[in-house]
């Protein structure tokens, strides 16, 4: 893969806890996002998905590693130097109500990014707000109302409009439908998909709903306890999963048709990121774990020549790499 828009290299985001403990929320994560594609980031709650997204946009300061945007390393820029890059990257938050200022009218909220980046006149910004409201399916008078006057789905549309306001190249959508009713989720997913195709956006779509990811994303990264377990195209992950964790996640997805393979159940809960297991972090719940898994931290190994990779010493051809 050449010239990705976003490159994450050995990203670590740790949080001190007490005097000695450290929460390893993200621990050595690497992947690339190609221009114009939607990359899915999946895993159980507590796997570090949201922390990856926040770290990429410097909303959470990484402990180490490198973020490259359009080939330019951003990790060591000062906040002033980083500010122009924020115009090209935006975030859609999980909770559409908590992410909106309840004291600001919707029009002012959407126009805020335009004002901060000094884009257009006041009249231009007002026209841009009305255009965005129409683009995300909200009425013209929405600009004069407050967030509490909207439903959950409408508030998420406001969040999407705010993210699109300054015409970014890259958007991170952090579980944008998980707080919504099922009847509304499909509307928001279809809206995101339509906007991505219409505007040619590059996206990182963070979710735990694997059915939504399959519908929306081109490639998928599977995370567990701060580490990448598998990465590949949508068809690689859903039709030819290699890592035991990926197989277990897919096995848990409800299906309308009878399963052809036995369901894989995971026992216990995800361990604490303050004390992750030695070796492979998934070994305490893995159905094929051996004693060797406790001493070897598996590297990402090529499963096929098209970029499909997984981190497991029991994959064919992975030993000794």
């Amino acid at each position: 893969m050449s010239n990705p828009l976003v490159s994450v290299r050995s990203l670590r985001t740790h949080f001190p806890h007490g005097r000695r403990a450290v929460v390893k929320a993200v621990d050595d994560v690497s992947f690339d996002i190609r221009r114009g594609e939607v990359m899915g980031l999946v895993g159980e709650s507590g796997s570090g998905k949201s922390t990856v997204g926040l770290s990429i946009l410097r909303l959470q300061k990484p402990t180490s590693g490198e973020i490259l945007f359009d080939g330019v390393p951003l990790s060591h820029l000062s906040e002033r130097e980083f500010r122009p890059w924020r115009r090209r990257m935006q975030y859609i938050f999980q909770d559409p109500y908590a992410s909106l200022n309840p004291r600001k009218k919707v029009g002012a909220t959407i126009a805020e990014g335009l004002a901060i980046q000094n884009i257009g006149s006041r009249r231009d910004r007002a026209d841009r707000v009305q255009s965005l409201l129409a683009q995300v399916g909200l009425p013209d008078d929405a600009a004069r109302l407050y967030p509490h006057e909207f439903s959950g789905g409408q508030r998420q549309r406001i969040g999407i409009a705010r993210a699109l306001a300054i015409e970014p190249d890259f958007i991170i959508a952090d579980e944008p439908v998980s707080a919504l009713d099922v009847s509304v989720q499909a509307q928001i997913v279809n809206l995101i998909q339509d906007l991505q195709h219409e505007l040619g956006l590059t996206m990182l779509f963070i979710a735990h709903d694997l059915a939504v990811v399959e519908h929306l994303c081109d490639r998928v990264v599977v995370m567990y306890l701060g580490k990448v377990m598998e990465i590949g195209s949508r068809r690689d992950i859903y039709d030819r999963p290699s890592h035991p964790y990926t197989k277990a996640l897919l096995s848990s997805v409800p299906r309308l048709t009878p399963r052809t393979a036995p369901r894989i159940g995971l026992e216990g809960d995800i361990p604490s990121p303050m004390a992750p297991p030695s070796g492979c972090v998934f070994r305490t719940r893995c159905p094929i774990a051996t004693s060797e898994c406790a001493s070897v931290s598996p590297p990402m190994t090529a499963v096929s020549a098209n970029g499909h990779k997984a981190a497991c010493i029991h994959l064919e051809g992975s030993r000794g790499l």
Side-chain angles (χ1 to χ4, degrees):
M1 181 178 60
S2 60
N3 299 324
L5 181 64
V6 179
S7 294
V8 178
R9 295 284 177 267
S10 302
L11 180 66
R12 289 181 170 86
T13 304
H14 298 172
F15 301 94
H17 183 79
R19 293 185 177 182
R20 299 181 180 180
V22 175
V23 177
K24 297 180 179 180
V26 177
D27 199 30
D28 196 16
V29 166
S30 299
F31 58 84
D32 293 325
I33 306 177
R34 303 165 184 160
R35 297 174 187 274
E37 82 169 347
V38 181
M39 173 73 85
L41 186 58
V42 303
E44 293 172 279
S45 297
S47 61
K49 306 185 301 298
S50 293
T51 305
V52 168
L54 294 170
S55 298
I56 291 175
L57 262 63
R58 289 263 293 266
L59 299 176
Q60 174 62 55
K61 186 177 180 180
T63 303
S64 64
E66 188 65 86
I67 307 296
L68 293 93
F69 188 86
D70 212 0
V72 178
L74 304 180
S75 301
H76 304 296
L77 298 181
S78 66
E79 187 57 37
R80 184 175 182 179
E81 293 170 329
F82 186 71
R83 185 173 177 178
W85 292 94
R86 290 196 183 279
R87 179 172 178 173
R88 301 184 64 184
M89 300 181 283
Q90 288 294 298
Y91 207 96
I92 300 173
F93 294 91
Q94 178 176 355
D95 188 336
Y97 190 61
S99 64
L100 299 174
N101 188 335
R103 297 186 178 186
K104 277 191 174 183
K105 292 182 180 180
V106 164
T109 293
I110 296 175
E112 187 174 18
L114 298 169
I116 291 173
Q117 295 290 342
N118 197 27
I119 300 173
S121 64
R122 182 172 295 182
R123 177 61 182 271
D124 292 335
R125 294 168 193 166
D127 291 343
R128 174 67 174 156
V129 168
Q130 293 304 126
S131 174
L132 286 164
L133 290 174
Q135 195 170 24
V136 299
L138 290 172
D140 293 342
D141 64 350
R144 300 190 296 271
L145 303 177
Y146 290 91
H148 73 271
E149 299 180 86
F150 295 88
S151 67
Q154 289 175 319
R155 285 195 288 263
Q156 194 58 284
R157 290 174 186 266
I158 295 168
I160 294 170
R162 177 177 60 180
L164 295 174
I166 57 176
E167 300 181 337
D169 299 314
F170 175 58
I171 286 180
I172 297 178
D174 187 0
E175 306 245 20
V177 298
S178 64
L180 306 178
D181 293 338
V182 174
S183 59
V184 181
Q185 288 182 6
Q187 299 174 23
I188 299 300
V189 169
N190 289 334
L191 172 63
I192 291 174
Q193 187 175 46
D194 291 343
L195 291 172
Q196 191 272 332
H197 289 160
E198 178 184 343
L199 303 175
L201 294 171
T202 303
M203 294 185 65
L204 178 64
F205 189 86
I206 301 171
H208 63 265
D209 189 330
L210 295 175
V212 171
V213 171
E214 183 179 17
H215 173 72
L216 187 64
C217 299
D218 302 302
R219 290 193 301 138
V220 182
V221 176
V222 181
M223 282 189 66
Y224 181 83
L225 203 62
K227 292 184 177 292
V228 175
M229 299 289 102
E230 188 166 359
I231 182 170
S233 70
R234 176 178 58 211
R235 294 279 57 90
D236 285 335
I237 297 299
Y238 284 85
D239 296 344
R240 299 173 292 274
S242 293
H243 198 281
Y245 181 58
T246 307
K247 294 177 180 179
L249 287 180
L250 294 173
S251 175
S252 67
V253 177
R255 297 181 181 275
L256 295 176
T257 57
R259 297 179 183 274
T260 58
R263 185 164 183 166
I264 303 172
L266 293 180
E267 297 183 359
D269 298 320
I270 188 169
S272 169
M274 286 191 294
S278 62
C280 176
V281 294
F282 182 59
R283 66 177 177 82
T284 57
R285 303 173 70 197
C286 181
I288 63 170
T290 63
S291 59
E292 187 179 3
C293 298
S295 57
V296 177
S297 181
M300 292 297 292
T301 302
V303 177
S304 63
N306 64 352
H308 186 190
K309 299 179 181 179
C312 179
I313 63 172
H314 297 298
L315 297 177
E316 183 178 353
S318 67
R319 291 181 179 275
L321 298 180

